[in-house]
Amino acid sequence: MYVKEICLEGFKSYATRTVVQGFDPFFNAITGLNGSGKSNILDSICFVLGITNLQQVRASNLQELVYKQGQAGITKATVSIVFDNSDRSRSPLGYENHSEITVTRQIVVGGRNKYLINGKLAQPSQVQNLFHSVQLNVNNPHFLIMQGRITKVLNMKPPEILSMLEEAAGTRMYETKKESALKTLEKKQSKVVEINKLLDQEILPALEKLRKERMQYMQWANGNAELDRLKRFCVAYDYVQAEKIRDSAVGEVEQMKAKIAEIDRNADRMRVEIQQKETEVSKLTAEKEASMGGEAKTLSENVDVLAQDLVREVSVLNNKEDTLRCEQENAEKIVHSIEDLKQSVEERATAVKKSEEGAADLKKRVEDFSKSLENYEKEYQGVLAGKSSGDEEKCLEDQLGEAKVTVGNAETELKQLKTKINHCERELKEKTHQLMSKCEEAAAVQNELSARRKDVENAKSAMESLPYKEGQMEALQKDRASELELVQKLKDEIRELSAQLSNLQFTYRDPVRNFDRSKVKGVVAKLIKVKDRSTMTALEVTAGGKLFNVVVDTESTGKQLLQNGDLRRRVTIVPLNKIQSHTVHPRIQQAAVRLVGKENAELALSLVGYDEELKTAMEYVFGSTFVCKTMDAAKEVAFSREIRTPSVTLEGDIFQPSGLLTGGSRMGGGYLLRQLHELAEAESNLLLHQRRLSEIEAKITELLPVHKKFADLKKQLELKLYDLSLFQGRAEQNEHHKLGEVVKKIEQELEEAKFAAKEKEILYNECVSVVSKLEKSIKEHDNNREDRLKNLEKQIKATKTQMKSASKDLKGHENERERLIMEQEAVVKEHASLESQLDSLRTQISRLNFEIEEQKAKVASTRNNHDQAQSELDSIRLKMLECDSQISSILKEQQKLQHKLGETKLERKKLENEVKRMEMEQKDCSTKVDRLIEKHAWIASEKQLFGRSGTDYEFMSRDPTKAREELERLQAEQSGCVTCKVFNL
């Protein structure tokens, strides 16, 4: 795509419509006189391309681009560029079918600005995208290369060159688009947040309030209708009851009067019997008081005194025990304080130790500086005294004399070593000759030794030929012991888990002879296997109490179990042939997958494993619920109009389509299924380890004969090794062996002498070189003396400065250390004080324990005395009870008669009151019937329906009390109804 034609009208110096044609596809140049408008053509191109930096087109605002800024009657500037788009491979996106593209930009004085693409209005961003798609970005700072710009480009730094390359490659404009898009997204997001906030804070609460008011109004309207129905029922019931009472009251009054006369005759007879019983009781009481009254009174008073003493002593004991408890609590508090102080002492000791370590480092530095200073001063004095260095105690002349003496000594020792070497070589030759004469004896001994060694090797090869390695049996026995321990541990774990899951144990007795137990499949919780541990809580919430249901094959099996199975607890039985499964339709599953995604909502049934024959039971338990990963997904699934299926989150929160939500904290959620999972794992591990144990025991049985043979061969090898060692000891004592040892010793001494001679020769050469060096140093010493003294003075001064700084730091560390030590001593003193308090408290506690023991003994003694006196009193009272039993039997008969007489009187009174009440009730019912007919005219027309089935008055023959209670409840609810108050109803 390239520029084919430019049309200018009212733009800068082009007042009239001007068309510039004849552009080359590759290279163009504009020439002309000064002021002829060459630059304005380039400015017009930049103007259409959408330049934002108007300084590039030599203007401060868009109005300046209009011819004479609109003062010559021209109020708008229009520039159109026609692009040749015949090359489809380089055309802009979306314009591949246009052979030419015309882009027009027009501005009007006053601020109006518009773009046109092929004569149609377009947004500035659309124009920018068109040019960006062909790598044109007029706002690129390197789009226009002005005069002097090339020199600046050549002088650019690497980051600026990189920026220019990015602009030239067209990647920078995408970054600009990205930033613009991010800003737009941020604005839209803030608007969405604002709308959601308005929705949550104002609109939804208002809707919820209106929904509640509507529900309350409906409840009030329903209650009002029910209230009217119950009122009519109660009025009808009162009318019927009043008629019944009025009609039956006359005959009942006569019956009541006959009963009153009978009661009066029975009362007179019972009064005579009561008088006879009183006479007998007074006679027996007088006889008892005469025989045992005084002794019982004395013992009773003694028991009361001992009881008071016992209560007092027990109270003292309780007070002392309370005091002991308080002291023990105080002691525990002090112990805790002591532990805290110990920790504080340790922390401060650590701080002191760190401070001491820092001080030690600083002290070492001071000592190093002091030592360096001393060395420098010593070297300075040595140089002044004519020594080569400060460490030397002697001058160079003395050192030269000592070096010459050392050279003489080294030469003498070298001659002595050469003499010793000659002597050793002669003696070695002589002893070697003697050794050769004893070779035959040595050969015999060597042959015997080789034979014994061969026996040892044969024994070793025999052991190695066995299919057994040393320690293999011990390793197997160790593995067997460890496997036995693991098996026992797993059995204990299984036993413990089984005890915790005892409520899942379904035990029963065979209901019939030869009962097939395979018909009883078991408890649902034990028949499933959870595929993903993270869903255990959700699955346990989904199943709920159904996890404890028992699955059987048919309803007849369940009936036999319930009747003759001797069940120990109540159970719910699920027969596979009768149970109706609740499964989610595949269409609903697909809708849920489309709504929240397959990974966010799965059917609970798909998350458990089970046998195929149990499919209907598992569909009954898990088939009607979705398990969702998040609460949002669960909410979408439950409340979607297309799905409307219960859903459970992984945390156990339940969403019902009816709007019911259940959730909150679930401590130990999924605990039952986790325990079952652990039990299954433990049982599988137990089988694995039992299999390993049987394999190990089989290997031990197999290796036992080989192990026995290996042990025998090992004993033979040990005997042969011991025999070989004894023979080697005897061989070492013969003459040949001794001569061999002497030869070896002489050879060793010869080697040592040669090595020492070589070292002495080296020492001699070194001493000679030292003498020559010292002679040379004496000559050069006078020339370098002044320079060395100056250098040493500088080093001494610098070392003194460093030592002073280090001494200052050391003093600060010592002050810090003293402060930490003082704090540590204060904490130690406080610790000692608490220790003393603790000791005193422990002494007091031991004293209180002793006093409590004494008090307990005293209480026990008092209790024994009290029990003894009480037993004596009880024996006397037992005797009195025998007498009292006779009196009590008579009194009981008397009381029965009196009670019967009282009841008779009460019954007579009731009957009299009942007669009066019935007479009054008869009058009231007659009045009530007349009043109800006058007040409720509908009674006369509907009384033939009272009590008839199929009408509103059917309940008159059943339970009118409940109806009246319901009426009172509804009246109370209607009187307090919020909706009534709102609508003034």
Side-chain angles (χ1 to χ4, degrees), residues 284-294 880:
L284 288 171
T285 303
E287 292 177 356
K288 184 184 75 170
E289 288 294 333
S291 61
M292 291 176 287
M880 294 177 70

Side-chain angles (χ1 to χ4, degrees), residues 174-190:
Y174 295 115
E175 292 291 333
T176 306
K177 284 185 178 182
K178 178 182 175 183
E179 292 174 1
S180 175
L182 288 174
K183 288 180 181 178
T184 304
L185 283 173
E186 188 176 354
K187 290 180 182 178
K188 298 295 183 184
Q189 184 62 33
S190 63

Side-chain angles (χ1 to χ4, degrees), residues 568-596:
R568 298 181 181 178
R569 59 185 177 89
R570 293 181 65 84
V571 295
T572 301
I573 294 178
V574 180
L576 292 173
N577 64 331
K578 290 293 184 181
I579 193 67
Q580 294 181 357
S581 60
H582 306 285
T583 56
V584 177
H585 196 274
R587 178 180 55 78
I588 296 177
Q589 295 184 36
Q590 294 171 3
V593 170
R594 288 197 304 272
L595 185 63
V596 296

Side-chain angles (χ1 to χ4, degrees), residues 798-892:
T799 305
K800 284 182 178 179
T801 304
Q802 292 175 351
M803 188 172 72
K804 188 176 180 181
S805 174
S807 299
K808 187 176 180 181
D809 293 341
L810 177 61
K811 189 174 181 181
H813 268 275
E814 288 178 349
N815 292 335
E816 179 67 17
R817 176 174 160 275
E818 289 176 359
R819 182 184 66 78
L820 290 171
I821 289 172
M822 290 175 66
E823 290 180 357
Q824 184 180 7
E825 289 175 351
V827 174
V828 169
K829 287 181 181 178
E830 187 177 355
H831 179 269
S833 173
L834 288 175
E835 287 283 358
S836 63
Q837 291 181 20
L838 182 61
D839 292 339
S840 63
L841 278 174
R842 285 174 175 168
T843 305
Q844 190 172 355
I845 287 169
S846 61
R847 180 177 58 78
L848 284 170
N849 282 326
F850 179 72
E851 290 179 358
I852 286 170
E853 292 299 328
E854 289 183 346
Q855 189 65 28
K856 284 182 178 178
K858 196 172 181 181
V859 168
S861 175
T862 307
R863 185 175 279 111
N864 289 334
N865 295 333
H866 175 268
D867 293 342
Q868 187 176 359
Q870 185 69 40
S871 63
E872 294 177 359
L873 179 62
D874 291 340
S875 64
I876 292 173
R877 284 178 175 171
L878 188 60
K879 294 177 182 178
M880 294 177 70
L881 281 173
E882 293 176 357
C883 184
D884 289 339
S885 62
Q886 298 178 2
I887 297 172
S888 63
S889 61
I890 296 171
L891 288 173
K892 284 179 182 178

Side-chain angles (χ1 to χ4, degrees), residues 111-157:
R112 291 180 60 192
N113 183 15
K114 65 180 179 180
Y115 286 90
L116 293 93
I117 300 177
N118 291 335
K120 296 180 181 179
L121 282 173
Q123 295 293 327
S125 60
Q126 186 178 352
V127 177
Q128 293 293 325
N129 290 336
L130 184 147
F131 291 127
H132 286 174
S133 65
V134 292
Q135 307 298 320
L136 279 177
N137 184 9
V138 70
N139 294 312
N140 180 354
H142 309 292
F143 182 78
L144 296 177
I145 307 298
M146 299 293 189
Q147 292 178 357
R149 185 67 178 171
I150 296 175
T151 306
K152 290 183 180 179
V153 170
L154 292 175
N155 295 330
M156 278 184 179
K157 295 180 181 179

Side-chain angles (χ1 to χ4, degrees), residues 187-204:
K187 290 180 182 178
K188 298 295 183 184
Q189 184 62 33
S190 63
K191 193 68 177 177
V192 169
V193 170
E194 184 179 353
I195 291 170
N196 288 336
K197 186 176 180 182
L198 179 66
L199 189 65
D200 292 338
Q201 293 182 355
E202 296 183 11
I203 298 174
L204 289 179

